[in-house]
Amino acid sequence: MIGRLNHVGVATPSIDDSIKLYRDILGATRIHEPFNLPEQGVRVCFVDVANSQIELIEPLGDDSPIHGFLKKNPAGGQHHVCFEVDDIIAARDEMRAKGATILGTGEPRIGAHGTPIIFVHPRDMGGVLIELMETPEDMHA
Ligand SMILES: CC[C@H](C(=O)O)C(=O)SCCNC(=O)CCNC(=O)[C@H](O)C(C)(C)COP(=O)(O)OP(=O)(O)OC[C@H]1O[C@@H](n2cnc3c(N)ncnc32)[C@H](O)[C@@H]1OP(=O)(O)O
Ligand SMILES: [Co+2]
């Protein structure tokens, strides 16, 4: 079911500081403009690497889902891993049928790449927060 690794989510207290790290220390050359996703409670910045992306996420608003994570990890850290799937509903139903907990209402929401996503609880995924994302048509054209 899971396909390509779409991105590794990295939570940060400051996207601006993280951009300096990835650009000036790690030498990343393709850093996208940060943008707000208020409906998901995060500010997002994608850093392209050869075979995937780093998704820098900073809390946006009091209800951001990453406040808890940053309280435990004030400097930030690896937050989630996102895999692409062909059909998000089929993937969700398969995860549920195998006993995994889908976070939130269970209904897919629109993620940072503009396609439906779900999250699977880390307790069912070996301690890793897993995001599944329906692959955009044009993503790997
Ligand atoms: C959607 C836009 C963008 C995209 O790619 O399109 C993004 O990816 S934005 C990413 C931010 N959004 C989310 O993460 C939504 C899903 N996340 C959640 O619902 C919460 O973060 C949740 C439920 C995973 C954790 O919430 P919270 O930290 O408030 O709860 P707890 O502290 O009670 O944690 C419960 C339990 O889970 C462990 N935990 C928490 N976060 C992580 C993590 N990132 N990776 C691994 N494990 C995590 C935490 O340690 C607790 O474990 P326990 O053993 O019970 O102590
Ligand atoms: Co993500």
Side-chain angles (χ1 to χ4, degrees):
M1 176 182 55
I2 55 173
R4 193 173 169 276
L5 173 69
N6 183 272
H7 63 265
V8 175
V10 173
T12 174
S14 162
I15 274 182
D16 290 343
D17 290 349
S18 295
I19 286 173
K20 292 188 186 97
L21 166 65
Y22 278 84
R23 185 189 59 215
D24 304 336
I25 309 291
L26 289 166
T29 54
R30 288 169 31 221
I31 300 178
H32 297 255
E33 263 313 293
F35 60 96
N36 290 343
L37 264 184
E39 62 282 7
Q40 306 298 348
V42 287
R43 181 166 172 72
V44 179
C45 174
F46 282 109
V47 177
D48 288 354
V49 293
N51 57 346
S52 190
Q53 289 182 310
I54 296 295
E55 179 188 71
L56 299 172
I57 49 175
E58 181 186 306
L60 184 69
D62 296 341
D63 299 338
S64 174
I66 62 173
H67 279 309
F69 182 89
L70 286 171
K71 222 169 172 170
K72 293 180 188 169
N73 309 278
Q78 188 275 322
H79 182 262
H80 64 277
V81 172
C82 180
F83 297 109
E84 293 176 12
V85 294
D86 294 334
D87 177 336
I88 196 73
I89 298 298
R92 179 202 57 190
D93 293 348
E94 188 175 343
M95 286 279 98
R96 271 192 176 143
K98 292 175 178 173
T101 305
I102 307 300
L103 289 165
T105 63
E107 286 312 304
R109 294 174 295 166
I110 300 302
H113 281 305
T115 65
I117 62 165
I118 59 167
F119 286 92
V120 191
H121 203 291
R123 69 166 169 259
D124 301 321
M125 295 284 113
V128 177
L129 178 59
I130 297 289
E131 177 184 350
L132 300 180
M133 166 191 140
E134 196 163 278
T135 310
E137 295 296 315
D138 61 350
M139 190 132 210
H140 309 307

